[in-house]
Amino acid sequence: MVADFPPRPLRDIAVRHVRQAGCPSYVAFATLDFEPSADGAAGYAFVNVLPDETLPWEYAAALDEGVRLELAESCAHLTVGVRVVVRAARVHEVDSNETAFRRAGRLAVQEALRRVSGGVSGGVSG
């Protein structure tokens, strides 16, 4: 089966999730690429090219989970064949957490879908 999403490489999907409403706060910054799978078939791969010092594994796992959750919800009507590559991330020493990176993953999928549908933005915040 040939995948429908993404139809072409979507580069530099920059997202940030910042919520400061007391303790805890939520801060996550990430830049992702969404690439069609190599053979055009359905499937999902998450690749983090950043060292653990830049993006700790637990935040990378939460980012991956957020992407997968949003793909399952927002792309249920599509055949997904995507390789998601983490190109950049920033972590706040105190206010970053798994919840923030999970939300950033969801925002990245929403932005990728916006770009596919013709909307172009310079990044998305949530």
Side-chain angles (χ1 to χ4, degrees), residues 13-20 26-32 50 54-56 59-60 63 86-93 95-97 100-105 107-108 124-126:
I13 306 291
V15 295
R16 67 183 183 143
H17 176 63
V18 179
R19 288 284 180 257
Q20 295 177 311
Y26 302 95
V27 177
F29 299 93
T31 302
L32 307 168
L50 304 177
T54 302
L55 183 63
Y59 296 163
L63 189 62
V86 182
R87 297 292 181 194
R90 284 195 342 241
V91 173
H92 186 276
E93 188 175 302
D95 294 329
S96 286
N97 52 50
F101 276 91
R102 195 171 299 110
R103 180 69 182 134
L107 291 170
V124 65
S125 296

Side-chain angles (χ1 to χ4, degrees), residues 24-124:
S25 293
Y26 302 95
V27 177
F29 299 93
T31 302
L32 307 168
D33 291 345
F34 287 74
E35 302 171 349
S37 60
D39 58 2
Y44 175 80
F46 183 85
V47 180
N48 177 21
V49 299
L50 304 177
D52 198 47
E53 300 82 43
T54 302
L55 183 63
W57 69 268
E58 63 268 27
Y59 296 163
L63 189 62
D64 176 24
E65 182 182 2
V67 169
R68 283 185 291 109
L69 288 169
E70 192 64 30
L71 284 171
E73 290 177 21
S74 296
C75 298
H77 61 289
L78 299 173
T79 302
V80 175
V82 65
R83 179 175 182 256
V84 178
V85 182
V86 182
R87 297 292 181 194
R90 284 195 342 241
V91 173
H92 186 276
E93 188 175 302
V94 174
D95 294 329
S96 286
N97 52 50
E98 292 173 36
T99 300
F101 276 91
R102 195 171 299 110
R103 180 69 182 134
R106 292 177 83 92
L107 291 170
V109 173
Q110 292 169 14
E111 176 62 14
L113 290 169
R114 225 181 327 276
R115 286 194 190 179
V116 167
S117 68
V120 177
S121 85
V124 65

